[in-house]
């Protein structure tokens, strides 16, 4: 993520020091954000315009020729080759760099006091007032469409306060960074998918895939403030995993034997195994809580968001 002022150019754009992040600029009074959405940016970049912009900074003709070949490589679909005359191939580390080079051009049209945060084709602009934000949105939309030939999604481009904005899955409240509500909705949807009752795999593999997703998610979103939310999500995830165990045991006899094998008293195990409650309600019963305790699930390899958050914020 890079923060730059509008008078920066491609060759002197640098990442700001650690103390100059969103918090720093919001404290300066920039409480409004311009959220502009580019429709299919990577599919619609104009090759000629992009090469012209690169040619202003890159003087090595062999490198420019190599980039041009990269852009014109084309695609193969159902054994049919199609040439590429616009857009950049996705999935390569070069594509975000080219997007960065292209976006640097329009930043010059902003005023010096405007702050741009960008990552690949995603960007947001921080300004001091709503009037200034609306001016920036109009000018940027016109510039992107008329000069760079890019399509601005008007339905998703708007002016909002910083605590209502969404950038790379985050939002901002006061001087702090938090997860955007849509980020949490996507997170829970993925966890539900990984704990689905119809996924016919062993619990060992299921816990491995859940932990793999949780670890990757925390490594990206862990920079936000959210210790208490991590604790609450851990409780919800463990309940989902207990439900998955309960569904896999299926028959009452299997459930009773599994509970007894995990140290539950026979009378409690029988009461749990013979219950008519569904998996969701059963996962909160004392017998299942004792058998599939937090320590047991941790020993099975279930990743804890709380532990991951503490490790990121208090590693020392």
């Amino acid at each position: 993520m890079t923060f730059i002022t509008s008078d920066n150019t491609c060759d002197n754009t640098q990442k700001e020091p650690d103390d100059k992040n969103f918090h720093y600029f919001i404290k300066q009074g920039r409480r409004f954000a311009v959220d502009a959405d580019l429709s299919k940016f990577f599919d619609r970049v104009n090759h000629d315009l992009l090469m012209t912009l690169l040619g202003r900074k890159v003087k090595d003709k062999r490198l420019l020729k190599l980039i041009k070949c990269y852009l014109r490589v084309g695609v193969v679909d159902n054994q049919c080759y199609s040439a590429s005359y616009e857009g950049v191939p996705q999935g390569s580390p070069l594509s975000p760099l080219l997007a960065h080079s292209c976006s640097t051009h329009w930043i010059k049209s902003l005023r010096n006091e405007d702050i741009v945060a960008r990552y690949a084709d995603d960007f947001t602009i921080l300004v001091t007032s709503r009037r200034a934000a609306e001016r920036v949105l109009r000018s940027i939309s016109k510039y992107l469409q008329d000069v760079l030939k890019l399509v601005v999604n008007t339905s998703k481009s708007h002016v909002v306060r910083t605590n209502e904005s969404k950038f790379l899955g985050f939002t901002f409240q006061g001087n702090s960074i938090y997860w955007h509500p849509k980020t949490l909705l996507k997170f829970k949807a993925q966890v539900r998918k990984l704990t689905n009752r119809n996924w016919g795999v062993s619990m060992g593999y299921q816990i491995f895939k859940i932990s793999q997703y949780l670890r990757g998610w925390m490594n990206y979103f862990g920079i936000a403030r959210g210790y208490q939310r991590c604790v609450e999500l851990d409780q919800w995830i463990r309940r989902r995993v207990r439900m998955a165990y309960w569904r896999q045991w299926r028959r009452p006899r299997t459930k009773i034997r599994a509970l007894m094998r995990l140290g539950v008293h026979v009378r409690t195990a029988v009461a749990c195994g013979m219950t008519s409650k569904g998996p969701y309600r059963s996962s909160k019963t004392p017998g299942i809580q004792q058998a599939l305790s937090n320590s047991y699930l941790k020993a099975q390899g279930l990743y804890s968001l709380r532990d991951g958050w503490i490790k990121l914020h208090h590693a020392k």
Side-chain angles (χ1 to χ4, degrees):
M1 187 188 302
T2 305
F3 297 88
I4 59 178
T5 55
S6 58
D7 58 348
N8 287 120
T9 56
C10 187
D11 56 350
N12 64 7
T13 297
Q14 296 179 348
K15 187 174 181 180
E16 293 285 349
D18 290 340
D19 61 335
K20 290 189 177 182
N21 47 29
F22 257 111
H23 310 165
Y24 174 84
F25 293 117
I26 291 174
K27 285 180 180 178
Q28 289 186 327
R30 294 178 174 86
R31 298 288 180 173
F32 289 89
V34 178
D35 284 345
D37 182 77
L38 297 178
S39 180
K40 298 181 179 180
F41 173 83
F42 287 103
D43 297 330
R44 292 175 172 169
V45 174
N46 186 284
H47 287 179
D48 295 334
L49 181 58
L50 178 58
M51 293 305 301
T52 300
L53 296 176
L54 288 175
R56 295 176 182 177
K57 298 296 179 181
V58 180
K59 303 305 179 183
D60 190 334
K61 293 184 178 180
R62 293 176 300 174
L63 179 57
L64 291 173
K65 183 178 179 180
L66 186 61
I67 294 175
K68 186 176 181 179
C69 292
Y70 167 78
L71 294 173
R72 296 290 176 88
V73 67
V75 295
V76 177
D77 186 19
N78 294 329
Q79 298 182 347
C80 295
Y81 173 79
S82 300
S84 298
Y85 298 102
E86 63 177 2
V88 295
Q90 298 186 43
S92 168
L94 182 59
S95 297
L97 180 60
L98 294 176
H100 182 89
S101 301
C102 189
S103 63
T104 299
H105 189 68
W106 60 259
I107 290 174
K108 299 176 185 178
S109 64
L110 299 174
R111 294 185 179 179
N112 292 345
E113 67 271 15
D114 298 331
I115 298 297
V116 181
R118 58 176 174 170
Y119 182 83
D121 63 323
D122 292 325
F123 66 90
T124 189
I125 306 170
L126 302 181
V127 294
T128 55
S129 66
R130 181 175 292 276
R131 183 177 179 180
E134 292 172 349
R135 168 188 58 79
V136 169
L137 179 58
R138 287 194 302 269
S139 62
I140 285 298
S141 298
K142 179 176 176 56
Y143 191 88
L144 290 172
Q145 295 183 98
D146 295 348
V147 179
L148 299 183
K149 312 302 180 183
L150 297 173
V151 178
V152 178
N153 192 333
T154 55
S155 62
K156 294 184 179 180
S157 301
H158 47 266
V159 173
V160 294
R161 287 189 172 272
T162 51
N163 60 356
E164 299 172 354
S165 66
K166 180 177 181 288
F167 181 58
L168 302 178
F170 297 99
T171 189
F172 310 91
Q173 296 179 16
N175 300 324
S176 301
I177 181 173
Y178 291 91
W179 302 318
H180 194 273
K182 290 184 179 180
T183 298
L184 289 175
L185 289 176
K186 291 181 180 179
F187 170 80
K188 288 191 172 185
Q190 183 63 22
V191 172
R192 289 189 180 97
K193 182 179 178 180
L194 292 172
T195 54
N196 192 292
R197 65 185 301 172
N198 297 323
W199 196 18
V201 296
S202 66
M203 283 306 304
Y205 181 75
Q206 199 163 352
I207 288 178
F208 167 75
K209 296 301 291 184
I210 295 170
S211 298
Q212 188 180 56
Y213 172 72
L214 297 179
R215 188 176 292 107
W217 191 87
M218 179 52 60
N219 286 340
Y220 179 84
F221 288 103
I223 62 173
R225 293 187 61 180
Y227 172 81
Q228 187 58 41
R229 182 59 63 89
C230 286
V231 173
E232 296 169 357
L233 287 174
D234 274 339
Q235 295 173 349
W236 177 75
I237 292 167
R238 286 193 292 265
R239 186 167 185 177
R240 295 287 309 180
V241 172
R242 292 184 181 113
M243 289 170 57
Y245 269 104
W246 198 241
R247 291 191 187 108
Q248 284 212 355
W249 290 339
R250 294 193 178 186
R251 297 183 179 182
R253 181 183 298 179
T254 307
K255 294 176 181 177
I256 294 170
R257 288 177 177 175
L259 292 174
M260 292 175 62
R261 187 170 60 251
L262 292 172
V264 180
H265 190 272
V266 58
R267 190 172 294 176
T268 305
V270 170
C272 290
M274 299 301 293
T275 183
S276 59
K277 296 178 182 178
Y280 185 77
R281 293 182 62 192
S282 296
S283 62
K284 289 285 287 184
T285 55
I288 298 176
Q289 292 275 342
Q290 178 187 345
L292 303 175
S293 62
N294 296 357
S295 58
Y296 175 82
L297 295 179
K298 185 176 181 179
Q300 297 303 304
L302 183 63
Y303 181 81
S304 169
L305 293 177
R306 171 187 172 275
D307 293 346
W309 192 91
I310 291 176
K311 185 178 180 180
L312 285 173
H313 287 262
H314 306 284
K316 297 180 181 180

